[in-house]
Amino acid sequence: MEYLEEEERRELWGKIQDALFQDKIDQFRAEFLEMHPYDQAKIFEEQETDVRMQIYTYLSPEEIAEVMEHIDIEEIEEYFTEMDPRFAAQVLAEISTDDAADILNELDKNKVASFLTIMDKEAASDIKELLYYEEKTAGSIMTTEFVVIHANQTVREAMLHLRHEAPDAETIYYIFVIDEDKHLVGVISLRDLIIAEDEWLIAEVMSDRVVSVQVGEDQEEVARMMRDYDFLALPVVDFQNHLLGIITVDDIMDVMEEEASDDYSKLAGVSDLDRPDENAFAAAKKRLPWLVILLFLGMMTASLMGQFEATLNQVAILAVFIPLIAGMAGNTGTQALAVAVRGLATGDHEKDGIPKLVMREAGTGLITGTICGILITIIVFLWQGNIFLGMLVGISIMAALIVATLAGAIVPLVMHRLNIDPAVASGPFITTINDIISILIYLGMATTFLSLHLLNS
Amino acid sequence: MEYLEEEERRELWGKIQDALFQDKIDQFRAEFLEMHPYDQAKIFEEQETDVRMQIYTYLSPEEIAEVMEHIDIEEIEEYFTEMDPRFAAQVLAEISTDDAADILNELDKNKVASFLTIMDKEAASDIKELLYYEEKTAGSIMTTEFVVIHANQTVREAMLHLRHEAPDAETIYYIFVIDEDKHLVGVISLRDLIIAEDEWLIAEVMSDRVVSVQVGEDQEEVARMMRDYDFLALPVVDFQNHLLGIITVDDIMDVMEEEASDDYSKLAGVSDLDRPDENAFAAAKKRLPWLVILLFLGMMTASLMGQFEATLNQVAILAVFIPLIAGMAGNTGTQALAVAVRGLATGDHEKDGIPKLVMREAGTGLITGTICGILITIIVFLWQGNIFLGMLVGISIMAALIVATLAGAIVPLVMHRLNIDPAVASGPFITTINDIISILIYLGMATTFLSLHLLNS
């Protein structure tokens, strides 16, 4: 189970390919199965249909299942469509239930139904259960393959049970303890179990203050708990505290990656990051909606500026500073936004409340605004030799920075309160809003300056 | 070890506080130690100095160590400064070496030296080793408390050894196999170990194709490996394949969180996200450098626009569309940037090469540019009743979007090739660069249109 660099994988594949071409099934199996399933999957993904069809015949459903668990979810439909349906159903039955459910979510309804009917009844019902849970909840990422024991068993009995369950269980490093009615009553780590004496009762060695998550809990919250508490697995329960499944840390790592990409792409204004193998049309399709919305927001800015055409007509140089002011407002807004969104995501803000953060951001805006304002006043004065123009730009920047910083911080906080994912208040929106505000401040003040005959000097 | 909501924690604290005030040490210990160390740490952090001093006397170094492992690293210096030095040294010796090294990195050199001298020699040397490794490398996040066995041991011997090591080891779920010269030769999971027969040799049951990372490997790469291969622990080796330490998944979750926040904050142009308890000055200090740099970039834009003052003078309405064009260019640029950076971070782009991505982005820019260009041409024509003005803005937007998309994609890719963290090509920079490019395109074309007498109609 060696970690393979791209090249090594290719090279290794050479050998395996020869085995395939010469129909040396044993040699193929020896080479292929020695690799870690992740590498098996990466190599499998690089093959043409005919080679894949050959591989299906060379490997058992269990072995293909291992491969499929590491395939990019976007590729999965193709493979399960080209497999013989009975074989595909057997493979699905061998895949851990949480991954199997994810896979079925990618296939079309009819195919799912047919698979579930061919499939071994027990496996089918386990998977069906999982299909009901809402996306991004604890239920949707949990697996039902876990080891349970009873409090009145001895350590020896528990170990025997464990040895027997080990091959199929998703993890055996946490063993959960239930009562007759399947209520979760305790947990014991394998670490504690192997230290314990054989004849001790589980009730004596287990921890009865077990951390669990509700089946409807948001997966991001589950990830945060696992990170804070350094667990390898978390039990999932319903409202009556019945043990429904467990979530293992390997799935949580995928969740963390997914949530991070999600926040990141929203900050950038991409509905969802394109996959590198997507073509330009697919990518454009994802980005256009945002761009079109922003196009209209931008037109709003333009039409508002149209109100000031007279002003711009009198002093054309005014226009020269518009991108500067709008840009600065956009940048500070995005900074404040990022701090607020990230703080909400990591739960830091819950500690010391919203008002404190808003006050902090107001102060930050005041400081950065004043400093940048004074700087720009001097620069513009030296450049244009007009102190009023300098002050106009300087004061505008200062005002813009204060407002923009506050807007960047408050918008996501308000959305959070309204239970809207604050990350939706994406960078481009804040930026465009702050563009409008700052330009209005600037041109509004310019008009006043003009009426006071301060600029036409 | 129950997961506590903020409120529960407060309530529970009430009880514990009473115990403290009435000096009921047993009651305090009973209540406090029943909590998960994470909750103990959260409660501890909320206390005043005097209460903390009292807690130090109520708990053993081992118990305080557990708490300290879950304290925010930024708070740690205060606590280790207020503790009695001998006690602090004992606590450090009890903390897992990787966390202890992180803590020492927060303290001032003299204090570190004094701690290491008071401290138990063996523990001290283990920690010293870790202090040498560069930040964000495998060496800096690994721990030296791991279980090793020899290939010629039997399963029974290994299990006995494991029982003995279990209390101190960071993890016992992967056991690494070394030869006489400490070379890493294999790995076996506790899962496989408990299934194996007692008298089998480790050599027969271990996997000899063990995945390991070099001590100098980037922590982000380590995190990616752990995610791809679903490991709970990875061995860290030097160039001679000597086993130096292990990295456990709980530390990797922190790394993933850290790297995600890092990319995110760079996209937003914050050198590093302020912690909510920071005051306005601290926050401003972090954001100002970026803002000042961007201020000067913005002035560049302004001075370049100054070249077109004559044009703006003739047709003031031109200025009205500048924020729209600059904004659109900025937005598409950030989208392309996010896709490229994220793709590089997750290693997706390595699969199918840079040129393909660049072509893809060019195509995307062409599609989005054309559609937005046509849209805006119509809108401007309907609004201003001037088809040439409409075409001017439309063509400018189209050109701006194509260039901006390419810039957003290429800049981070080039930086990656130059081994600069592409995330440094932060949003604001790309945005400002694209502002300049797009405005030059726009005003340049406007000047041409004017010379052709197309606009003064």
Side-chain angles (χ1 to χ4, degrees):
Chain A
M1 47 178 232
E2 195 154 22
Y3 180 68
L4 298 176
E5 291 301 334
E6 204 54 24
E7 313 70 50
E8 307 177 65
R9 206 181 282 138
R10 290 242 160 62
E11 178 197 312
L12 187 58
W13 172 244
K15 287 195 229 152
I16 298 175
Q17 212 159 19
D18 302 340
L20 276 174
F21 291 156
Q22 301 154 32
D23 278 326
K24 292 187 180 156
I25 179 160
D26 300 341
Q27 188 189 329
F28 167 82
R29 291 177 52 82
E31 290 285 353
F32 189 79
L33 295 175
E34 203 183 349
M35 289 186 289
H36 185 287
Y38 173 79
D39 296 314
Q40 295 175 1
K42 289 305 138 217
I43 283 187
F44 182 86
E45 283 175 350
E46 289 163 11
Q47 304 318 314
E48 301 300 329
T49 321
D50 56 332
V51 181
R52 292 200 303 265
M53 297 311 274
Q54 194 181 358
I55 294 179
Y56 296 138
T57 64
Y58 280 15
L59 298 176
S60 70
E62 296 89 321
E63 289 156 349
I64 289 288
E66 285 258 27
V67 178
M68 289 301 148
E69 285 182 0
H70 291 82
I71 294 280
D72 282 344
I73 193 72
E74 288 84 0
E75 313 289 344
I76 214 77
E77 178 163 21
E78 181 180 0
Y79 303 151
F80 274 89
T81 317
E82 70 190 9
M83 283 184 217
D84 164 77
R86 304 205 158 282
F87 183 74
Q90 290 171 323
V91 172
L92 273 172
E94 295 293 341
I95 294 176
S96 64
T97 50
D98 54 341
D99 293 342
D102 294 343
I103 291 173
L104 288 181
N105 280 324
E106 294 296 312
L107 309 179
D108 73 74
K109 296 282 148 288
N110 308 333
K111 190 166 268 80
V112 174
S114 70
F115 280 154
L116 289 175
T117 42
I118 318 174
M119 197 186 299
D120 156 280
K121 289 284 148 287
E122 192 194 328
S125 68
D126 282 356
I127 298 172
K128 272 192 206 127
E129 252 178 56
L130 293 180
L131 288 174
Y132 293 133
Y133 296 112
E134 207 181 323
E135 249 199 304
K136 296 184 176 237
T137 62
S140 69
I141 54 172
M142 75 184 184
T143 173
T144 52
E145 288 134 323
F146 52 89
V147 186
V148 290
I149 53 179
H150 290 278
N152 54 11
Q153 288 182 294
T154 64
V155 168
R156 181 186 289 104
E157 290 167 338
M159 282 301 281
L160 284 174
H161 179 58
L162 208 57
R163 282 207 183 77
H164 177 263
E165 295 287 321
D168 296 329
E170 183 97 359
T171 181
I172 61 163
Y173 300 135
Y174 286 90
I175 304 101
F176 297 100
V177 187
I178 56 173
D179 63 16
E180 312 62 43
D181 313 325
K182 289 204 162 60
H183 293 109
L184 178 64
V185 294
V187 62
I188 180 167
S189 69
L190 181 52
R191 185 197 287 245
D192 297 335
L193 200 59
I194 64 168
I195 301 173
E197 299 297 334
D198 281 353
E199 44 291 327
W200 288 354
L201 280 180
I202 294 301
E204 307 165 24
V205 287
M206 74 179 191
S207 156
D208 55 3
R209 304 192 67 189
V210 48
V211 181
S212 64
V213 292
Q214 288 292 326
V215 68
E217 183 64 87
D218 182 323
Q219 64 177 11
E220 196 166 11
E221 176 60 22
V222 178
R224 195 188 308 164
M225 280 173 64
M226 241 194 221
R227 219 179 65 241
D228 289 344
Y229 289 88
D230 297 343
F231 290 138
L232 298 178
L234 271 174
V236 181
V237 296
D238 62 17
F239 289 114
Q240 292 76 39
N241 195 39
H242 294 113
L243 182 58
L244 301 177
I246 64 167
I247 298 172
T248 49
V249 68
D250 54 306
D251 298 321
I252 285 303
M253 282 195 283
D254 299 335
V255 168
M256 290 176 68
E257 189 60 37
E258 180 188 330
E259 295 285 347
S261 287
D262 202 39
D263 290 357
Y264 188 84
S265 56
K266 291 219 182 79
L267 182 64
V270 209
S271 53
D272 125 48
L273 294 171
D274 345 321
R275 309 198 18 269
D277 58 356
E278 264 176 349
N279 63 25
F281 290 96
K285 200 158 143 262
K286 281 183 185 165
R287 303 185 202 178
L288 259 177
W290 293 79
L291 291 174
V292 173
I293 296 168
L294 295 164
L295 191 68
F296 282 98
L297 279 173
M299 276 308 299
M300 248 182 66
T301 324
S303 58
L304 283 166
M305 284 178 70
Q307 310 306 315
F308 296 95
E309 191 174 349
T311 307
L312 291 163
N313 231 328
Q314 281 186 58
V315 190
I317 192 74
L318 285 175
V320 165
F321 299 100
I322 288 173
L324 169 68
I325 294 165
M328 290 298 289
N331 293 329
T332 39
T334 312
Q335 290 180 326
L337 171 77
V339 173
V341 170
R342 204 65 204 164
L344 290 169
T346 55
D348 285 345
H349 291 339
E350 279 148 34
K351 282 205 200 78
D352 40 29
I354 308 307
K356 193 175 159 211
L357 179 83
V358 174
M359 282 313 300
R360 201 271 302 271
E361 290 300 315
T364 312
L366 186 65
I367 299 167
T368 53
T370 314
I371 294 176
C372 293
I374 294 170
L375 251 169
I376 203 71
T377 307
I378 298 166
I379 297 171
V380 173
F381 172 61
L382 295 177
W383 178 33
Q384 292 288 325
N386 179 335
I387 185 62
F388 294 110
L389 184 61
M391 285 168 55
L392 169 62
V393 180
I395 298 169
S396 307
I397 289 246
M398 184 175 124
L401 258 54
I402 296 170
V403 178
T405 310
L406 274 172
I410 291 170
V411 170
L413 293 175
V414 171
M415 299 181 87
H416 182 66
R417 273 295 159 85
L418 304 174
N419 286 322
I420 309 168
D421 175 359
V424 173
S426 69
F429 278 111
I430 292 289
T431 308
T432 317
I433 291 164
N434 286 329
D435 279 0
I436 301 178
I437 300 171
S438 56
I439 292 166
L440 290 184
I441 295 173
Y442 173 57
L443 291 180
M445 286 181 52
T447 317
T448 331
F449 271 51
L450 272 172
S451 62
L452 303 170
H453 309 290
L454 294 178
L455 290 176
N456 347 37
S457 49
Chain B
M1 49 175 229
E2 195 152 22
Y3 180 68
L4 298 176
E5 293 300 336
E6 205 55 25
E7 312 72 50
E8 308 176 64
R9 206 180 283 137
R10 289 240 162 61
E11 178 195 313
L12 188 58
W13 173 242
K15 287 194 227 150
I16 297 175
Q17 213 158 22
D18 301 340
L20 276 174
F21 291 157
Q22 300 154 34
D23 278 325
K24 292 188 182 153
I25 180 162
D26 298 342
Q27 189 190 328
F28 166 81
R29 292 177 52 83
E31 289 286 352
F32 190 79
L33 295 175
E34 203 185 348
M35 289 186 288
H36 185 287
Y38 173 80
D39 296 314
Q40 296 175 3
K42 291 304 139 217
I43 283 188
F44 182 86
E45 283 175 348
E46 290 163 8
Q47 303 317 313
E48 301 301 331
T49 321
D50 56 332
V51 181
R52 292 200 302 265
M53 298 310 273
Q54 194 181 358
I55 294 179
Y56 297 138
T57 65
Y58 280 15
L59 297 177
S60 71
E62 295 90 322
E63 289 157 350
I64 289 288
E66 283 259 27
V67 178
M68 290 300 148
E69 284 182 358
H70 291 82
I71 294 282
D72 282 345
I73 194 72
E74 289 82 1
E75 313 289 344
I76 215 78
E77 178 163 23
E78 181 181 359
Y79 303 151
F80 274 89
T81 317
E82 70 191 10
M83 283 183 216
D84 164 76
R86 304 206 158 282
F87 183 74
Q90 290 172 323
V91 172
L92 273 172
E94 295 293 341
I95 293 176
S96 66
T97 50
D98 53 342
D99 294 342
D102 294 344
I103 290 173
L104 289 181
N105 280 324
E106 295 294 312
L107 309 178
D108 72 75
K109 296 282 148 288
N110 309 331
K111 189 166 269 76
V112 174
S114 70
F115 281 154
L116 289 176
T117 41
I118 319 174
M119 197 186 299
D120 156 281
K121 290 282 147 290
E122 194 194 326
S125 68
D126 283 355
I127 298 172
K128 273 194 206 126
E129 251 178 57
L130 292 180
L131 288 175
Y132 294 132
Y133 296 113
E134 207 182 324
E135 249 199 305
K136 296 179 174 243
T137 62
S140 70
I141 55 172
M142 74 184 185
T143 173
T144 52
E145 289 133 323
F146 52 89
V147 187
V148 290
I149 52 179
H150 290 278
N152 54 13
Q153 286 181 294
T154 64
V155 169
R156 181 187 287 99
E157 290 166 338
M159 282 300 283
L160 285 173
H161 179 59
L162 208 57
R163 280 203 184 79
H164 176 262
E165 295 287 321
D168 297 329
E170 182 97 0
T171 181
I172 60 162
Y173 300 136
Y174 285 91
I175 306 100
F176 297 100
V177 187
I178 56 172
D179 64 16
E180 311 62 43
D181 314 324
K182 290 204 161 60
H183 292 109
L184 177 65
V185 294
V187 62
I188 179 164
S189 69
L190 181 52
R191 183 195 288 243
D192 296 337
L193 200 58
I194 64 167
I195 301 173
E197 298 298 332
D198 280 354
E199 43 291 324
W200 288 356
L201 280 180
I202 293 301
E204 305 166 24
V205 287
M206 74 180 193
S207 156
D208 54 5
R209 303 190 67 188
V210 48
V211 181
S212 63
V213 292
Q214 287 294 324
V215 68
E217 183 65 87
D218 182 325
Q219 64 177 10
E220 196 166 11
E221 176 61 23
V222 178
R224 192 188 310 164
M225 279 174 64
M226 241 194 224
R227 219 180 66 242
D228 289 344
Y229 288 86
D230 297 342
F231 290 137
L232 299 178
L234 270 174
V236 181
V237 295
D238 62 17
F239 288 114
Q240 292 77 38
N241 195 39
H242 294 111
L243 182 57
L244 301 177
I246 65 167
I247 297 172
T248 50
V249 68
D250 54 307
D251 298 320
I252 286 303
M253 282 195 282
D254 299 335
V255 168
M256 289 175 69
E257 189 60 36
E258 180 188 331
E259 295 285 348
S261 287
D262 201 40
D263 290 357
Y264 188 85
S265 56
K266 291 217 182 83
L267 181 65
V270 207
S271 52
D272 117 52
L273 294 171
D274 347 321
R275 310 199 21 262
D277 57 356
E278 265 176 348
N279 64 25
F281 291 95
K285 202 159 142 262
K286 281 183 184 164
R287 303 186 202 176
L288 259 176
W290 293 79
L291 291 175
V292 172
I293 296 168
L294 295 164
L295 191 68
F296 282 97
L297 281 173
M299 276 309 299
M300 244 182 68
T301 325
S303 58
L304 283 166
M305 284 179 70
Q307 310 305 316
F308 296 96
E309 194 176 344
T311 308
L312 291 163
N313 231 329
Q314 282 186 56
V315 190
I317 192 73
L318 286 176
V320 164
F321 298 101
I322 288 173
L324 169 68
I325 295 166
M328 290 298 287
N331 292 329
T332 37
T334 313
Q335 289 179 326
L337 171 78
V339 173
V341 170
R342 204 64 204 166
L344 290 168
T346 55
D348 285 344
H349 291 339
E350 278 146 33
K351 282 207 200 80
D352 40 30
I354 306 307
K356 193 174 160 211
L357 178 83
V358 174
M359 284 311 301
R360 202 270 303 270
E361 290 300 314
T364 312
L366 186 65
I367 299 167
T368 53
T370 315
I371 295 175
C372 293
I374 293 170
L375 253 167
I376 204 70
T377 308
I378 298 165
I379 297 171
V380 173
F381 171 61
L382 296 177
W383 178 33
Q384 293 287 326
N386 179 336
I387 186 61
F388 293 111
L389 184 62
M391 285 167 54
L392 169 63
V393 180
I395 299 169
S396 307
I397 290 246
M398 184 175 120
L401 258 54
I402 296 170
V403 178
T405 309
L406 274 172
I410 291 171
V411 171
L413 293 175
V414 172
M415 300 182 86
H416 182 67
R417 272 296 159 85
L418 304 174
N419 288 319
I420 310 169
D421 176 358
V424 174
S426 70
F429 277 110
I430 293 290
T431 307
T432 316
I433 291 163
N434 285 330
D435 279 0
I436 301 179
I437 299 171
S438 56
I439 291 167
L440 291 185
I441 295 173
Y442 173 58
L443 291 180
M445 286 181 50
T447 317
T448 332
F449 271 53
L450 271 173
S451 62
L452 302 171
H453 309 288
L454 295 178
L455 290 177
N456 348 40
S457 49

